[in-house]
Amino acid sequence: MTTSPPLRGPLFEAVQRSDIFADSKTFVDSVPRMDPDRIHERFQERRHDPAFDLRAFVEEHFEVPDGSEGAAYDPEPTPESMAAHIRGLWPRLVDHPDDERAIEYGSLIGTPEPYVTPGGRFRELYYWDSYFTAEGLAASDRLEDVENIVENFAWAVEEFGYVPNATREYQTSRTQPPLFAETVTILERERGIEAVEPYLDVLDAEYEFWMNGRDELDGAGTATRRVVDLGDAVLNRYWDESAGPRRESYDEDVELAERVPDRDRETLYRDIRAAAESGWDFSSRWYRDASMETIRTTELVPVDLNALLYGVERDLADWHAAVGNDAASEAYATAAQQRAAAIDQYCWDDEAGFYFDYSFVEDEQTTKWTLAATVPLYTGLASDEQAAAVADHLREQFLRRGGLLTTLTESGEQWDAPNGWAPLHWFAVLGLERAGHDELAREIATRWVDHARTVYERTGRMVEKYDVTADGRLGGGGEYELQDGFGWTNGVTIAFQERYGLFEQH
């Protein structure tokens, strides 16, 4: 794939190191208005003119996306309920780009089927967002949209070998948490194994992508790409095939590198990108202390990633057995058993009664308390005793007025306290329910829905994250303004409403 004009050359460097756009994603999502080579020639001809205006040049030569500079949002007239509002938002969030110039010359990647965007500055298909959105689509009787998401995932695996972070050229060097199988499970719930069978080959291929490099490992403490050798087990980490500044956050990454001149830049950029692959971009979870200057994502074995891969192995074992592929089923079942034992050994702290990430470089668990600990409950990995201990900590340490804190650390990062996020509430609530802690599961779901409704009734908005420490607070922190829309919030909220009967009473 040829690098698109907004992503390369002196023009890219000039725009991304300037302050002409508040959001670094704006320019890399822009589309050339004319032949890209001619744009670069004009830039070189004009750039040293004393009267040269960089922003005017960009706006003359590129179509700059609307709504890129913040959370600009014009809500529809308020309908009778939040649920009705969410159902009305789905068609507004569906996209199927057919602008050939945007796909050929811009950073956008075309897909075979329509998809549901998150909203706001996120105008493309995102991997893990789409699963949580799909749960809401299913609850809204929009199964065709779920089918389209699954078809796009399958196409992506065939095209790239994995599902990219998003359908932008600058996000194809990494993936996101492996939730393709979970999305297929939505179709299985409605239609049985017949809905799964067409996707088994691509699900196998995605799993092999995660395990790629395991034959190259060279003893305990070594790692290659996304696999880590712990001596008696192989687990996974987040990674990115590129090791430079993110194109969509170029200035932020270069400035960070300049603040820590003693750090190897390639390693620093890789750690930043790996955190973006995790979806938790950014969180003190990935830091040695509480500052991004100490980010070390690639040194960690994340408990949630490995619990999700355990779930993939269990699903593939069951699905291959159902279609008569006994050898494949047994191999996946064995892999799941081995992974479960390794997660218990390296990520479970019996004294604390909680799951933590594990540093294979320092040979010790981290001390960061996060909602990643709920994913072993979600995938059925946790024992009854482990689930009970995690539930106690959620109730005593994480639960607030509007739901669950993401972590117990206030760092200013968006994936830390006081923010709460829809996907983590989904993992926590369904994990608790699966482990038999129904009352706490309902309490958390109810608090989340009530908080989202309070914000909606006050503002007419569904937003990507909330401050869960008090009624009606919006989330904050991170590299960009709070975004509206919002795909996974809509999906999880309406799915909770359906699951627990949490609709407005009139």
Side-chain angles (χ1 to χ4, degrees):
M1 180 183 293
T2 303
T3 304
S4 61
L7 303 182
R8 60 178 167 86
L11 176 58
F12 166 82
E13 179 83 17
V15 173
Q16 294 299 71
R17 293 310 315 268
S18 72
D19 295 322
I20 65 171
F21 296 119
D23 187 343
S24 295
K25 192 174 185 292
T26 302
F27 182 58
V28 294
D29 289 358
S30 299
V31 180
R33 297 183 186 274
M34 62 179 67
D35 180 82
D37 291 335
R38 181 60 184 140
I39 293 175
H40 284 286
E41 289 172 5
R42 288 187 176 185
F43 175 71
Q44 295 288 30
E45 291 167 0
R46 300 182 188 179
R47 62 185 300 191
H48 298 300
D49 186 323
F52 180 69
D53 184 327
L54 181 59
R55 179 160 190 152
F57 180 88
V58 170
E59 291 177 346
E60 177 186 352
H61 293 88
F62 292 86
E63 294 175 11
V64 178
D66 294 332
S68 297
E69 300 267 9
Y73 181 64
D74 182 19
E76 295 287 303
T78 303
E80 63 181 11
S81 71
M82 179 175 65
H85 177 70
I86 290 172
R87 290 191 177 97
L89 277 175
W90 292 133
R92 296 176 61 193
L93 294 172
V94 171
D95 196 8
H96 192 198
D98 56 3
D99 184 337
E100 293 182 5
R101 186 161 47 88
I103 294 171
E104 181 177 0
Y105 294 132
S107 62
L108 188 65
I109 297 170
T111 61
E113 302 296 339
Y115 50 82
V116 180
T117 66
R121 73 198 284 269
F122 303 107
R123 297 170 287 267
E124 47 281 313
L125 181 150
Y126 279 81
Y127 183 8
W128 82 314
D129 294 63
S130 294
Y131 162 64
F132 303 100
T133 299
E135 289 287 2
L137 291 167
S140 305
D141 298 318
R142 296 181 65 97
L143 203 62
E144 182 178 350
D145 289 320
V146 180
E147 292 171 338
N148 288 337
I149 289 170
V150 170
E151 280 294 308
N152 284 327
F153 285 174
W155 165 83
V157 173
E158 291 171 346
E159 183 79 8
F160 299 98
Y162 52 93
V163 183
N165 183 160
T167 50
R168 289 282 177 182
E169 181 185 336
Y170 55 79
Q171 291 180 318
T172 58
S173 60
R174 60 180 178 265
T175 182
Q176 281 196 310
L179 289 166
F180 186 1
E182 284 293 286
T183 314
V184 171
T185 299
I186 299 173
L187 300 182
E188 183 190 26
R189 291 200 306 255
E190 299 294 326
R191 299 174 181 167
I193 190 63
E194 291 78 12
V196 177
E197 194 167 4
Y199 301 107
L200 275 177
D201 286 347
V202 285
L203 287 166
D204 288 339
E206 187 195 34
Y207 178 77
E208 285 304 312
F209 161 79
W210 279 100
M211 301 309 296
N212 183 259
R214 60 185 179 273
D215 295 333
E216 302 169 27
L217 295 170
D218 191 26
T222 63
T224 182
R225 292 186 284 283
R226 292 168 178 81
V227 287
V228 178
D229 191 339
L230 299 176
D232 51 1
V234 173
L235 290 178
N236 291 79
R237 64 174 177 176
Y238 289 113
W239 185 251
D240 190 304
E241 301 306 321
S242 295
R246 289 168 298 156
R247 312 306 280 176
E248 74 278 19
S249 300
Y250 187 83
D251 191 46
E252 292 89 336
D253 289 358
V254 171
E255 286 187 358
L256 176 64
E258 291 171 348
R259 295 200 301 270
V260 284
D262 294 338
R263 283 203 62 176
D264 175 71
R265 291 200 173 193
E266 182 172 306
T267 301
L268 174 65
Y269 292 141
R270 185 98 65 183
D271 283 327
I272 294 169
R273 286 170 166 270
E277 180 168 273
S278 79
W280 291 52
D281 46 346
F282 290 97
S283 171
S284 61
R285 173 187 181 188
W286 308 123
Y287 307 160
R288 185 165 280 103
D289 53 36
S291 67
M292 192 163 175
E293 286 83 353
T294 63
I295 191 168
R296 55 169 180 164
T297 320
T298 59
E299 297 181 9
L300 301 179
V301 171
V303 62
D304 49 350
L305 169 61
N306 284 281
L308 288 172
L309 285 168
Y310 166 84
V312 171
E313 289 161 347
R314 287 301 328 163
D315 284 341
L316 288 172
D318 292 344
W319 289 335
H320 277 288
V323 299
N325 298 336
D326 293 338
S329 175
E330 290 174 10
Y332 280 119
T334 298
Q337 291 170 359
Q338 292 171 344
R339 188 181 298 273
I343 292 172
D344 272 351
Q345 179 179 348
Y346 291 99
C347 296
W348 175 254
D349 184 326
D350 198 48
E351 183 176 349
F354 209 68
Y355 289 100
F356 298 94
D357 298 327
Y358 174 78
S359 169
F360 66 90
V361 173
E362 298 177 349
D363 189 22
E364 63 182 16
Q365 292 177 354
T366 71
T367 58
K368 306 296 177 69
W369 293 71
T370 81
L371 285 189
T374 65
V375 182
L377 282 66
Y378 176 79
T379 59
L381 169 64
S383 68
D384 290 345
E385 294 77 11
Q386 289 169 329
V390 171
D392 286 344
H393 287 299
L394 294 182
R395 185 184 297 106
E396 294 166 7
Q397 298 190 74
F398 287 84
L399 188 59
R400 296 293 187 274
R401 183 91 175 199
L404 295 171
L405 298 170
T406 299
T407 74
L408 301 183
T409 301
E410 290 197 34
S411 68
E413 300 291 4
Q414 63 175 350
W415 289 84
D416 274 319
N419 286 343
W421 290 82
L424 305 185
H425 279 72
W426 184 256
F427 287 146
V429 168
L430 269 72
L432 289 165
E433 186 181 282
R434 182 170 188 167
H437 297 272
D438 295 348
E439 184 178 346
L440 180 57
R442 172 180 279 275
E443 177 67 20
I444 293 169
T446 301
R447 293 191 188 198
W448 173 266
V449 170
D450 287 348
H451 191 97
R453 183 183 292 117
T454 298
V455 171
Y456 167 69
E457 290 176 348
R458 177 168 59 84
T459 68
R461 301 163 62 189
M462 301 296 295
V463 297
E464 64 173 334
K465 56 184 179 279
Y466 299 91
D467 175 344
V468 297
T469 60
D471 283 343
R473 287 187 179 174
L474 302 173
E479 296 180 323
Y480 53 85
E481 296 296 322
L482 181 69
Q483 299 297 300
D484 301 331
F486 193 85
W488 62 19
T489 302
N490 302 343
V492 168
T493 302
I494 200 165
F496 280 164
Q497 288 185 292
E498 287 284 352
R499 196 175 197 90
Y500 294 108
L502 301 175
F503 294 101
E504 296 88 336
Q505 300 297 316
H506 296 284

